[in-house]
Amino acid sequence: AAGLYRKVMERKNRNEAEAGYDGWLRKQLPDMIETKKQKGVTFPYAPCISILVPAYETPETFLREMAESVLKQSYGNLELCVADGSPTDSVQKVMEEYAAGDSRVKYRRLERNLGISENTNEALALASGDYVGLLDHDDLLLPGALFEIVTALQGGAEALYTDEDKVNMDLSHHFQPHFKPDYNQEYLRSNNYICHFFVVKTEIARKVGGFRSEFDGAQDHDFIFRCTEEAKEVLHLPKVLYSWRCHQASTASNPESKLYAFEAGRRAIEEHYRRLGIPARVENASFYGMYRTVYEWKEE
């Protein structure tokens, strides 16, 4: 009974704390005047950002909202690279419509579904930008996201990540913000706190070999490790610029729906240690997606 009471009170306190978040976030987003100002800015360094999206049977509403969130960014030097592994042509109809109206849209219909990693690699193959960013097919970039990212990239960082939150199915309510710490490799070994929105130089993404299907479910964690090992500077941009669309079938709201992903994450961390020559094994911790390292040094 005491445990149940604590759980109920914890949820109540969390809900109360988050009650004002949605309103706060909307005040942070650029209004029409600010968006116009952003569009008028000329950056000394204006890299092209290629947004990689592996699509699979994406509901049309979600697909259009994702695409609009990218194409309506105030910073316009971008590409939307969509690789479609769907068995039906529902995604194709929508994306070919966008491609016909906007030269920044690159779309490829795959002969078959290759899995999340290989589908993303197909999107990477479409990219000609200086940086690539990872976007799920039913998620959103928030207004002004790329403007803020390019502003931060003026310092020359080779990899960058932002804060994120979750949004409900009809986009009416944002919740569960994830305000992240600055880059911390040790913390990344405990969980994939970086996740979205992650941006990295295209040459690094290709140098490390893109995504690996043996880590499907935790392919981003594995990819982020290999990219950050290579990057000279990894920058944290402390602004919420990405929203996960949250529904019951996603890990965002139902972790048990993808237990295999957490095992893949454990293996990704062990591979990271092997590359660095660190003798260690990794165990799953008590909470889904959290890991514990057991070092196996011969000396004290």
Side-chain angles (χ1 to χ4, degrees), residues 215-254:
F215 294 96
D216 276 1
Q219 70 283 342
D220 289 356
H221 203 174
D222 172 61
F223 178 71
I224 289 168
F225 267 125
R226 288 180 287 119
C227 289
T228 53
E229 289 164 19
E230 193 71 32
K232 294 174 183 174
E233 181 186 3
V234 182
L235 184 66
H236 169 222
L237 177 52
K239 293 187 177 183
V240 177
L241 301 176
Y242 184 105
S243 290
W244 292 48
R245 191 190 299 265
C246 188
H247 50 81
Q248 283 303 113
S250 74
T251 51
S253 64
N254 182 16

Side-chain angles (χ1 to χ4, degrees), residues 259-280:
L259 288 175
Y260 73 93
F262 304 121
E263 172 58 21
R266 187 192 66 77
R267 290 188 289 105
I269 302 169
E270 285 193 337
E271 283 277 315
H272 159 72
Y273 283 127
R274 289 193 189 98
R275 286 192 298 272
L276 298 185
I278 297 174

Side-chain angles (χ1 to χ4, degrees), residues 1-19:
L4 176 61
Y5 174 77
R6 284 196 299 271
K7 189 169 184 177
V8 169
M9 291 305 295
E10 177 189 349
R11 178 60 58 87
K12 177 177 180 292
N13 293 336
R14 182 194 307 166
N15 290 343
E16 289 176 352
E18 289 185 353

